[in-house]
Amino acid sequence: MPRLVINGTAHELIGDLITIGRAPGNTIVIEDSSVSSRHAELLRDGENYRLKDLDSTNGTRVNGASVTETTLRPGDRIQFGAAQAHYETAAAESQVQPQPPRSIESESTKTSAATPQFGDSLLFQRQKDQKDPVRTAILIASAVVLLLFFCSMVAVLLMHAPPA
């Protein structure tokens, strides 16, 4: 039987439609502020399920790729906002292998000018190796002001020094 393991909790997937979100009325409730109240849904598609993002605020990613709709495969890693999950089936439980990242998107997502990359910058997560020109300019300006201050203090001390 297929199941979705979210943050260590296994949810057996029973039924043709399973809703996922933060609101209590969902089939699977994820209590995480990065998850929308109605975040996504799973639709039975033969032996597997199709995952559909419901225009959630922080998006849905499968194996690192932003998706709007895709068929899940055993071992897929899913991210609802910042909540981590993975999809398992009975046949694949003994041999779950990580899948390489793949990008499966609907036609509307393919034609959009810019796809948001929610996995690259989760809420409150520090971004590494990012150069911020405003921060750099503030640091340089602060260093110059500090240098000018010390130079002016030396000049004042020299002007008021007793003659030798």
Side-chain angles (χ1 to χ4, degrees), residues 68-142:
T68 55
E69 189 169 347
T70 186
T71 298
L72 294 176
R73 296 184 298 184
D76 277 348
R77 302 281 176 203
I78 307 161
Q79 191 172 339
F80 303 103
Q84 301 290 324
H86 66 274
Y87 178 70
E88 298 176 351
T89 61
E93 285 179 6
S94 61
Q95 55 181 351
V96 173
Q97 297 176 354
Q99 299 291 324
R102 61 186 166 105
S103 178
I104 299 176
E105 302 169 348
S106 68
E107 289 302 317
S108 63
T109 305
K110 288 179 185 176
T111 58
S112 70
T115 303
Q117 300 298 318
F118 297 106
D120 296 341
S121 59
L122 297 176
L123 294 176
F124 310 115
Q125 181 181 10
R126 184 176 176 199
Q127 295 180 355
K128 300 175 185 173
D129 302 327
Q130 180 181 1
K131 298 185 188 234
D132 186 0
V134 174
R135 184 184 307 171
T136 304
I138 291 172
L139 287 173
I140 290 172
S142 299

